[in-house]
Every structure is written in structure tokens, then in C-alpha cells.
PDB file of all heavy atoms in Angstrom:
ATOM      1  N   CYS A   1       0.830  -1.188  -0.004  1.00  0.00           N
ATOM      2  CA  CYS A   1       0.001   0.012   0.005  1.00  0.00           C
ATOM      3  C   CYS A   1       0.884   1.260   0.005  1.00  0.00           C
ATOM      4  O   CYS A   1       0.595   2.201  -0.731  1.00  0.00           O
ATOM      5  CB  CYS A   1      -0.912   0.027   1.211  1.00  0.00           C
ATOM      6  SG  CYS A   1      -2.302  -1.131   1.078  1.00  0.00           S
ATOM      7  N   CYS A   2       1.933   1.244   0.815  1.00  0.00           N
ATOM      8  CA  CYS A   2       2.851   2.380   0.861  1.00  0.00           C
ATOM      9  C   CYS A   2       3.537   2.570  -0.479  1.00  0.00           C
ATOM     10  O   CYS A   2       3.739   3.695  -0.962  1.00  0.00           O
ATOM     11  CB  CYS A   2       3.877   2.217   1.964  1.00  0.00           C
ATOM     12  SG  CYS A   2       3.158   2.374   3.599  1.00  0.00           S
ATOM     13  N   THR A   3       3.877   1.454  -1.133  1.00  0.00           N
ATOM     14  CA  THR A   3       4.510   1.506  -2.443  1.00  0.00           C
ATOM     15  C   THR A   3       3.503   2.061  -3.469  1.00  0.00           C
ATOM     16  O   THR A   3       3.849   2.861  -4.335  1.00  0.00           O
ATOM     17  CB  THR A   3       5.011   0.136  -2.879  1.00  0.00           C
ATOM     18  OG1 THR A   3       6.019  -0.300  -1.958  1.00  0.00           O
ATOM     19  CG2 THR A   3       5.603   0.128  -4.275  1.00  0.00           C
ATOM     20  N   PHE A   4       2.231   1.642  -3.329  1.00  0.00           N
ATOM     21  CA  PHE A   4       1.177   2.128  -4.227  1.00  0.00           C
ATOM     22  C   PHE A   4       1.083   3.679  -4.099  1.00  0.00           C
ATOM     23  O   PHE A   4       1.023   4.411  -5.087  1.00  0.00           O
ATOM     24  CB  PHE A   4      -0.156   1.474  -3.895  1.00  0.00           C
ATOM     25  CG  PHE A   4      -1.344   2.058  -4.623  1.00  0.00           C
ATOM     26  CD1 PHE A   4      -1.344   2.170  -6.020  1.00  0.00           C
ATOM     27  CD2 PHE A   4      -2.466   2.502  -3.917  1.00  0.00           C
ATOM     28  CE1 PHE A   4      -2.445   2.703  -6.685  1.00  0.00           C
ATOM     29  CE2 PHE A   4      -3.572   3.040  -4.577  1.00  0.00           C
ATOM     30  CZ  PHE A   4      -3.568   3.135  -5.976  1.00  0.00           C
ATOM     31  N   GLN A   5       1.130   4.165  -2.837  1.00  0.00           N
ATOM     32  CA  GLN A   5       1.082   5.642  -2.631  1.00  0.00           C
ATOM     33  C   GLN A   5       2.248   6.294  -3.335  1.00  0.00           C
ATOM     34  O   GLN A   5       2.071   7.325  -3.998  1.00  0.00           O
ATOM     35  CB  GLN A   5       1.138   5.932  -1.138  1.00  0.00           C
ATOM     36  CG  GLN A   5      -0.153   5.593  -0.391  1.00  0.00           C
ATOM     37  CD  GLN A   5      -0.087   6.107   1.027  1.00  0.00           C
ATOM     38  OE1 GLN A   5       0.729   5.670   1.848  1.00  0.00           O
ATOM     39  NE2 GLN A   5      -0.956   7.054   1.340  1.00  0.00           N
ATOM     40  N   HIS A   6       3.427   5.733  -3.178  1.00  0.00           N
ATOM     41  CA  HIS A   6       4.649   6.291  -3.769  1.00  0.00           C
ATOM     42  C   HIS A   6       4.533   6.275  -5.302  1.00  0.00           C
ATOM     43  O   HIS A   6       4.859   7.232  -5.988  1.00  0.00           O
ATOM     44  CB  HIS A   6       5.861   5.481  -3.286  1.00  0.00           C
ATOM     45  CG  HIS A   6       7.178   6.101  -3.676  1.00  0.00           C
ATOM     46  ND1 HIS A   6       8.383   5.587  -3.226  1.00  0.00           N
ATOM     47  CD2 HIS A   6       7.485   7.123  -4.511  1.00  0.00           C
ATOM     48  CE1 HIS A   6       9.371   6.328  -3.759  1.00  0.00           C
ATOM     49  NE2 HIS A   6       8.851   7.243  -4.543  1.00  0.00           N
ATOM     50  N   TRP A   7       4.020   5.165  -5.829  1.00  0.00           N
ATOM     51  CA  TRP A   7       3.870   4.997  -7.264  1.00  0.00           C
ATOM     52  C   TRP A   7       2.938   6.068  -7.854  1.00  0.00           C
ATOM     53  O   TRP A   7       3.231   6.704  -8.862  1.00  0.00           O
ATOM     54  CB  TRP A   7       3.352   3.572  -7.549  1.00  0.00           C
ATOM     55  CG  TRP A   7       3.183   3.270  -9.010  1.00  0.00           C
ATOM     56  CD1 TRP A   7       4.153   2.799  -9.873  1.00  0.00           C
ATOM     57  CD2 TRP A   7       1.995   3.401  -9.781  1.00  0.00           C
ATOM     58  NE1 TRP A   7       3.613   2.629 -11.124  1.00  0.00           N
ATOM     59  CE2 TRP A   7       2.291   2.981 -11.114  1.00  0.00           C
ATOM     60  CE3 TRP A   7       0.682   3.822  -9.483  1.00  0.00           C
ATOM     61  CZ2 TRP A   7       1.336   3.001 -12.130  1.00  0.00           C
ATOM     62  CZ3 TRP A   7      -0.248   3.809 -10.503  1.00  0.00           C
ATOM     63  CH2 TRP A   7       0.063   3.413 -11.803  1.00  0.00           C
ATOM     64  N   VAL A   8       1.773   6.260  -7.179  1.00  0.00           N
ATOM     65  CA  VAL A   8       0.811   7.258  -7.639  1.00  0.00           C
ATOM     66  C   VAL A   8       1.422   8.665  -7.547  1.00  0.00           C
ATOM     67  O   VAL A   8       1.289   9.479  -8.478  1.00  0.00           O
ATOM     68  CB  VAL A   8      -0.506   7.209  -6.835  1.00  0.00           C
ATOM     69  CG1 VAL A   8      -1.411   8.399  -7.125  1.00  0.00           C
ATOM     70  CG2 VAL A   8      -1.265   5.900  -7.125  1.00  0.00           C
ATOM     71  N   TYR A   9       2.118   8.912  -6.450  1.00  0.00           N
ATOM     72  CA  TYR A   9       2.755  10.217  -6.220  1.00  0.00           C
ATOM     73  C   TYR A   9       3.729  10.486  -7.382  1.00  0.00           C
ATOM     74  O   TYR A   9       3.738  11.591  -7.940  1.00  0.00           O
ATOM     75  CB  TYR A   9       3.482  10.179  -4.882  1.00  0.00           C
ATOM     76  CG  TYR A   9       4.323  11.406  -4.595  1.00  0.00           C
ATOM     77  CD1 TYR A   9       3.763  12.519  -3.971  1.00  0.00           C
ATOM     78  CD2 TYR A   9       5.680  11.465  -4.961  1.00  0.00           C
ATOM     79  CE1 TYR A   9       4.525  13.654  -3.728  1.00  0.00           C
ATOM     80  CE2 TYR A   9       6.441  12.602  -4.717  1.00  0.00           C
ATOM     81  CZ  TYR A   9       5.845  13.703  -4.082  1.00  0.00           C
ATOM     82  OH  TYR A   9       6.609  14.801  -3.840  1.00  0.00           O
ATOM     83  N   GLU A  10       4.542   9.495  -7.749  1.00  0.00           N
ATOM     84  CA  GLU A  10       5.509   9.685  -8.829  1.00  0.00           C
ATOM     85  C   GLU A  10       4.806   9.805 -10.180  1.00  0.00           C
ATOM     86  O   GLU A  10       5.153  10.665 -10.981  1.00  0.00           O
ATOM     87  CB  GLU A  10       6.517   8.520  -8.847  1.00  0.00           C
ATOM     88  CG  GLU A  10       7.760   8.833  -9.633  1.00  0.00           C
ATOM     89  CD  GLU A  10       8.888   7.799  -9.444  1.00  0.00           C
ATOM     90  OE1 GLU A  10       9.507   7.776  -8.380  1.00  0.00           O
ATOM     91  OE2 GLU A  10       9.097   7.014 -10.399  1.00  0.00           O
ATOM     92  N   LYS A  11       3.804   8.965 -10.441  1.00  0.00           N
ATOM     93  CA  LYS A  11       3.061   8.971 -11.718  1.00  0.00           C
ATOM     94  C   LYS A  11       2.412  10.339 -11.968  1.00  0.00           C
ATOM     95  O   LYS A  11       2.264  10.757 -13.100  1.00  0.00           O
ATOM     96  CB  LYS A  11       1.925   7.934 -11.686  1.00  0.00           C
ATOM     97  CG  LYS A  11       2.335   6.599 -12.214  1.00  0.00           C
ATOM     98  CD  LYS A  11       2.178   6.510 -13.741  1.00  0.00           C
ATOM     99  CE  LYS A  11       2.699   5.263 -14.339  1.00  0.00           C
ATOM    100  NZ  LYS A  11       4.154   5.158 -14.469  1.00  0.00           N
ATOM    101  N   THR A  12       1.950  10.989 -10.902  1.00  0.00           N
ATOM    102  CA  THR A  12       1.243  12.249 -11.053  1.00  0.00           C
ATOM    103  C   THR A  12       2.142  13.465 -10.734  1.00  0.00           C
ATOM    104  O   THR A  12       1.652  14.543 -10.473  1.00  0.00           O
ATOM    105  CB  THR A  12      -0.003  12.280 -10.136  1.00  0.00           C
ATOM    106  OG1 THR A  12       0.428  12.175  -8.765  1.00  0.00           O
ATOM    107  CG2 THR A  12      -0.968  11.167 -10.429  1.00  0.00           C
ATOM    108  N   ASN A  13       3.445  13.216 -10.733  1.00  0.00           N
ATOM    109  CA  ASN A  13       4.426  14.283 -10.422  1.00  0.00           C
ATOM    110  C   ASN A  13       4.163  14.990  -9.130  1.00  0.00           C
ATOM    111  O   ASN A  13       4.287  16.220  -9.016  1.00  0.00           O
ATOM    112  CB  ASN A  13       4.448  15.335 -11.573  1.00  0.00           C
ATOM    113  CG  ASN A  13       4.896  14.694 -12.874  1.00  0.00           C
ATOM    114  OD1 ASN A  13       5.863  13.921 -12.879  1.00  0.00           O
ATOM    115  ND2 ASN A  13       4.189  14.965 -13.940  1.00  0.00           N
ATOM    116  N   GLY A  14       3.733  14.222  -8.122  1.00  0.00           N
ATOM    117  CA  GLY A  14       3.525  14.796  -6.791  1.00  0.00           C
ATOM    118  C   GLY A  14       2.236  15.600  -6.665  1.00  0.00           C
ATOM    119  O   GLY A  14       2.053  16.323  -5.699  1.00  0.00           O
ATOM    120  N   ASN A  15       1.347  15.464  -7.646  1.00  0.00           N
ATOM    121  CA  ASN A  15       0.093  16.242  -7.622  1.00  0.00           C
ATOM    122  C   ASN A  15      -1.053  15.503  -6.942  1.00  0.00           C
ATOM    123  O   ASN A  15      -2.064  16.105  -6.594  1.00  0.00           O
ATOM    124  CB  ASN A  15      -0.357  16.605  -9.029  1.00  0.00           C
ATOM    125  CG  ASN A  15       0.496  17.712  -9.613  1.00  0.00           C
ATOM    126  OD1 ASN A  15       0.402  18.850  -9.201  1.00  0.00           O
ATOM    127  ND2 ASN A  15       1.346  17.371 -10.573  1.00  0.00           N
ATOM    128  N   LEU A  16      -0.907  14.204  -6.815  1.00  0.00           N
ATOM    129  CA  LEU A  16      -2.030  13.403  -6.288  1.00  0.00           C
ATOM    130  C   LEU A  16      -1.503  12.284  -5.409  1.00  0.00           C
ATOM    131  O   LEU A  16      -0.457  11.734  -5.704  1.00  0.00           O
ATOM    132  CB  LEU A  16      -2.823  12.833  -7.473  1.00  0.00           C
ATOM    133  CG  LEU A  16      -4.109  12.058  -7.173  1.00  0.00           C
ATOM    134  CD1 LEU A  16      -5.134  12.338  -8.251  1.00  0.00           C
ATOM    135  CD2 LEU A  16      -3.851  10.568  -7.107  1.00  0.00           C
ATOM    136  N   LEU A  17      -2.234  12.008  -4.334  1.00  0.00           N
ATOM    137  CA  LEU A  17      -1.846  10.936  -3.421  1.00  0.00           C
ATOM    138  C   LEU A  17      -3.091  10.189  -2.983  1.00  0.00           C
ATOM    139  O   LEU A  17      -4.070  10.821  -2.571  1.00  0.00           O
ATOM    140  CB  LEU A  17      -1.149  11.549  -2.190  1.00  0.00           C
ATOM    141  CG  LEU A  17      -0.655  10.550  -1.147  1.00  0.00           C
ATOM    142  CD1 LEU A  17       0.553   9.772  -1.662  1.00  0.00           C
ATOM    143  CD2 LEU A  17      -0.295  11.259   0.146  1.00  0.00           C
ATOM    144  N   VAL A  18      -3.049   8.860  -3.087  1.00  0.00           N
ATOM    145  CA  VAL A  18      -4.186   8.069  -2.544  1.00  0.00           C
ATOM    146  C   VAL A  18      -3.884   7.871  -1.060  1.00  0.00           C
ATOM    147  O   VAL A  18      -2.792   7.427  -0.704  1.00  0.00           O
ATOM    148  CB  VAL A  18      -4.317   6.730  -3.297  1.00  0.00           C
ATOM    149  CG1 VAL A  18      -5.474   5.924  -2.730  1.00  0.00           C
ATOM    150  CG2 VAL A  18      -4.521   6.959  -4.783  1.00  0.00           C
ATOM    151  N   THR A  19      -4.839   8.222  -0.217  1.00  0.00           N
ATOM    152  CA  THR A  19      -4.627   8.143   1.225  1.00  0.00           C
ATOM    153  C   THR A  19      -5.661   7.225   1.865  1.00  0.00           C
ATOM    154  O   THR A  19      -6.533   6.713   1.164  1.00  0.00           O
ATOM    155  CB  THR A  19      -4.760   9.555   1.860  1.00  0.00           C
ATOM    156  OG1 THR A  19      -6.108   9.966   1.704  1.00  0.00           O
ATOM    157  CG2 THR A  19      -3.866  10.555   1.206  1.00  0.00           C
ATOM    158  N   ASP A  20      -5.561   7.063   3.159  1.00  0.00           N
ATOM    159  CA  ASP A  20      -6.558   6.274   3.887  1.00  0.00           C
ATOM    160  C   ASP A  20      -6.734   4.884   3.301  1.00  0.00           C
ATOM    161  O   ASP A  20      -7.852   4.434   3.112  1.00  0.00           O
ATOM    162  CB  ASP A  20      -7.905   7.002   3.832  1.00  0.00           C
ATOM    163  CG  ASP A  20      -8.287   7.527   5.192  1.00  0.00           C
ATOM    164  OD1 ASP A  20      -7.451   7.420   6.088  1.00  0.00           O
ATOM    165  OD2 ASP A  20      -9.402   8.034   5.357  1.00  0.00           O
ATOM    166  N   LEU A  21      -5.619   4.221   2.971  1.00  0.00           N
ATOM    167  CA  LEU A  21      -5.738   2.888   2.420  1.00  0.00           C
ATOM    168  C   LEU A  21      -6.063   1.918   3.546  1.00  0.00           C
ATOM    169  O   LEU A  21      -5.323   1.792   4.515  1.00  0.00           O
ATOM    170  CB  LEU A  21      -4.427   2.489   1.735  1.00  0.00           C
ATOM    171  CG  LEU A  21      -4.091   3.326   0.489  1.00  0.00           C
ATOM    172  CD1 LEU A  21      -2.666   3.064   0.044  1.00  0.00           C
ATOM    173  CD2 LEU A  21      -5.069   3.076  -0.628  1.00  0.00           C
ATOM    174  N   GLN A  22      -7.200   1.269   3.432  1.00  0.00           N
ATOM    175  CA  GLN A  22      -7.636   0.400   4.516  1.00  0.00           C
ATOM    176  C   GLN A  22      -8.522  -0.713   3.934  1.00  0.00           C
ATOM    177  O   GLN A  22      -9.101  -0.541   2.876  1.00  0.00           O
ATOM    178  CB  GLN A  22      -8.441   1.210   5.531  1.00  0.00           C
ATOM    179  CG  GLN A  22      -9.573   2.016   4.939  1.00  0.00           C
ATOM    180  CD  GLN A  22     -10.082   3.077   5.884  1.00  0.00           C
ATOM    181  OE1 GLN A  22     -10.186   2.836   7.082  1.00  0.00           O
ATOM    182  NE2 GLN A  22     -10.432   4.226   5.385  1.00  0.00           N
ATOM    183  N   GLY A  23      -8.559  -1.817   4.648  1.00  0.00           N
ATOM    184  CA  GLY A  23      -9.365  -2.912   4.157  1.00  0.00           C
ATOM    185  C   GLY A  23      -8.970  -4.203   4.820  1.00  0.00           C
ATOM    186  O   GLY A  23      -8.390  -4.236   5.904  1.00  0.00           O
ATOM    187  N   VAL A  24      -9.305  -5.304   4.140  1.00  0.00           N
ATOM    188  CA  VAL A  24      -9.039  -6.638   4.660  1.00  0.00           C
ATOM    189  C   VAL A  24      -8.040  -7.283   3.696  1.00  0.00           C
ATOM    190  O   VAL A  24      -8.353  -7.450   2.514  1.00  0.00           O
ATOM    191  CB  VAL A  24     -10.323  -7.468   4.766  1.00  0.00           C
ATOM    192  CG1 VAL A  24     -10.018  -8.897   5.216  1.00  0.00           C
ATOM    193  CG2 VAL A  24     -11.302  -6.806   5.743  1.00  0.00           C
ATOM    194  N   GLY A  25      -6.878  -7.617   4.220  1.00  0.00           N
ATOM    195  CA  GLY A  25      -5.861  -8.191   3.335  1.00  0.00           C
ATOM    196  C   GLY A  25      -5.517  -7.246   2.207  1.00  0.00           C
ATOM    197  O   GLY A  25      -5.222  -6.074   2.432  1.00  0.00           O
ATOM    198  N   MET A  26      -5.605  -7.737   0.976  1.00  0.00           N
ATOM    199  CA  MET A  26      -5.256  -6.927  -0.185  1.00  0.00           C
ATOM    200  C   MET A  26      -6.459  -6.216  -0.789  1.00  0.00           C
ATOM    201  O   MET A  26      -6.355  -5.577  -1.806  1.00  0.00           O
ATOM    202  CB  MET A  26      -4.622  -7.824  -1.265  1.00  0.00           C
ATOM    203  CG  MET A  26      -3.315  -8.439  -0.844  1.00  0.00           C
ATOM    204  SD  MET A  26      -1.923  -7.323  -1.111  1.00  0.00           S
ATOM    205  CE  MET A  26      -0.589  -8.358  -0.488  1.00  0.00           C
ATOM    206  N   LYS A  27      -7.635  -6.375  -0.130  1.00  0.00           N
ATOM    207  CA  LYS A  27      -8.839  -5.711  -0.684  1.00  0.00           C
ATOM    208  C   LYS A  27      -9.082  -4.445   0.119  1.00  0.00           C
ATOM    209  O   LYS A  27      -9.284  -4.477   1.337  1.00  0.00           O
ATOM    210  CB  LYS A  27     -10.044  -6.634  -0.599  1.00  0.00           C
ATOM    211  CG  LYS A  27      -9.989  -7.713  -1.643  1.00  0.00           C
ATOM    212  CD  LYS A  27     -11.280  -8.507  -1.720  1.00  0.00           C
ATOM    213  CE  LYS A  27     -11.224  -9.481  -2.872  1.00  0.00           C
ATOM    214  NZ  LYS A  27     -12.349  -9.341  -3.786  1.00  0.00           N
ATOM    215  N   LEU A  28      -9.066  -3.313  -0.571  1.00  0.00           N
ATOM    216  CA  LEU A  28      -9.162  -2.029   0.087  1.00  0.00           C
ATOM    217  C   LEU A  28     -10.449  -1.308  -0.234  1.00  0.00           C
ATOM    218  O   LEU A  28     -11.009  -1.471  -1.310  1.00  0.00           O
ATOM    219  CB  LEU A  28      -7.985  -1.137  -0.348  1.00  0.00           C
ATOM    220  CG  LEU A  28      -6.599  -1.768  -0.300  1.00  0.00           C
ATOM    221  CD1 LEU A  28      -5.570  -0.848  -0.935  1.00  0.00           C
ATOM    222  CD2 LEU A  28      -6.197  -2.117   1.117  1.00  0.00           C
ATOM    223  N   THR A  29     -10.897  -0.470   0.707  1.00  0.00           N
ATOM    224  CA  THR A  29     -12.089   0.341   0.484  1.00  0.00           C
ATOM    225  C   THR A  29     -12.015   1.609   1.291  1.00  0.00           C
ATOM    226  O   THR A  29     -11.143   1.763   2.133  1.00  0.00           O
ATOM    227  CB  THR A  29     -13.365  -0.467   0.866  1.00  0.00           C
ATOM    228  OG1 THR A  29     -14.490   0.335   0.501  1.00  0.00           O
ATOM    229  CG2 THR A  29     -13.426  -0.766   2.346  1.00  0.00           C
ATOM    230  N   ASP A  30     -12.969   2.506   1.041  1.00  0.00           N
ATOM    231  CA  ASP A  30     -13.107   3.728   1.836  1.00  0.00           C
ATOM    232  C   ASP A  30     -11.832   4.552   1.804  1.00  0.00           C
ATOM    233  O   ASP A  30     -11.406   5.104   2.812  1.00  0.00           O
ATOM    234  CB  ASP A  30     -13.430   3.313   3.291  1.00  0.00           C
ATOM    235  CG  ASP A  30     -14.414   4.291   3.902  1.00  0.00           C
ATOM    236  OD1 ASP A  30     -14.890   5.166   3.184  1.00  0.00           O
ATOM    237  OD2 ASP A  30     -14.680   4.201   5.132  1.00  0.00           O
ATOM    238  N   VAL A  31     -11.190   4.641   0.636  1.00  0.00           N
ATOM    239  CA  VAL A  31      -9.935   5.374   0.526  1.00  0.00           C
ATOM    240  C   VAL A  31     -10.203   6.866   0.291  1.00  0.00           C
ATOM    241  O   VAL A  31     -11.341   7.249   0.019  1.00  0.00           O
ATOM    242  CB  VAL A  31      -9.083   4.799  -0.633  1.00  0.00           C
ATOM    243  CG1 VAL A  31      -8.772   3.315  -0.401  1.00  0.00           C
ATOM    244  CG2 VAL A  31      -9.732   5.002  -1.987  1.00  0.00           C
ATOM    245  N   GLY A  32      -9.164   7.652   0.412  1.00  0.00           N
ATOM    246  CA  GLY A  32      -9.254   9.088   0.160  1.00  0.00           C
ATOM    247  C   GLY A  32      -8.253   9.468  -0.901  1.00  0.00           C
ATOM    248  O   GLY A  32      -7.346   8.676  -1.212  1.00  0.00           O
ATOM    249  N   ILE A  33      -8.402  10.654  -1.434  1.00  0.00           N
ATOM    250  CA  ILE A  33      -7.391  11.179  -2.375  1.00  0.00           C
ATOM    251  C   ILE A  33      -7.071  12.604  -1.991  1.00  0.00           C
ATOM    252  O   ILE A  33      -8.006  13.405  -1.756  1.00  0.00           O
ATOM    253  CB  ILE A  33      -7.890  11.105  -3.832  1.00  0.00           C
ATOM    254  CG1 ILE A  33      -7.988   9.639  -4.311  1.00  0.00           C
ATOM    255  CG2 ILE A  33      -6.940  11.883  -4.762  1.00  0.00           C
ATOM    256  CD1 ILE A  33      -8.443   9.475  -5.744  1.00  0.00           C
ATOM    257  N   ALA A  34      -5.798  12.918  -1.912  1.00  0.00           N
ATOM    258  CA  ALA A  34      -5.373  14.306  -1.719  1.00  0.00           C
ATOM    259  C   ALA A  34      -4.775  14.786  -3.021  1.00  0.00           C
ATOM    260  O   ALA A  34      -4.024  14.079  -3.670  1.00  0.00           O
ATOM    261  CB  ALA A  34      -4.302  14.350  -0.611  1.00  0.00           C
ATOM    262  N   THR A  35      -5.180  16.011  -3.406  1.00  0.00           N
ATOM    263  CA  THR A  35      -4.539  16.629  -4.588  1.00  0.00           C
ATOM    264  C   THR A  35      -4.056  17.996  -4.169  1.00  0.00           C
ATOM    265  O   THR A  35      -4.509  18.536  -3.146  1.00  0.00           O
ATOM    266  CB  THR A  35      -5.561  16.842  -5.732  1.00  0.00           C
ATOM    267  OG1 THR A  35      -6.698  17.550  -5.229  1.00  0.00           O
ATOM    268  CG2 THR A  35      -6.005  15.543  -6.367  1.00  0.00           C
TER     269      THR A  35
END
């Protein structure tokens, strides 16, 4: 999940971050996005 955040951050040139990654195992829900 932390790597996913880093990947999105790099892909969007630091303009967007997926936050609040939560869920059961590898299935996530109720996430947030900061721009």
C-alpha cells in the first residue's frame, strides 16, 4: 500500500496521493485522495 502511494505520487508528479488505504488483506475500500 505504501509503495502504491509512492507510485501514484511519482506517476502524477507529486500532484495526487491516494490516502486512507484500509481494508481486509489486499482488498481495500473507503480510501481518500489528496490533490
Side-chain angles (χ1 to χ4, degrees):
C1 285
C2 289
T3 298
F4 172 54
Q5 287 188 295
H6 188 173
W7 182 86
V8 169
Y9 174 88
E10 197 170 286
K11 268 274 174 284
T12 62
N13 297 316
N15 284 291
L16 184 144
L17 181 71
V18 180
T19 66
D20 248 7
L21 295 170
Q22 53 195 322
V24 175
M26 296 276 179
K27 285 189 174 234
L28 312 173
T29 185
D30 216 7
V31 301
I33 291 181
T35 53

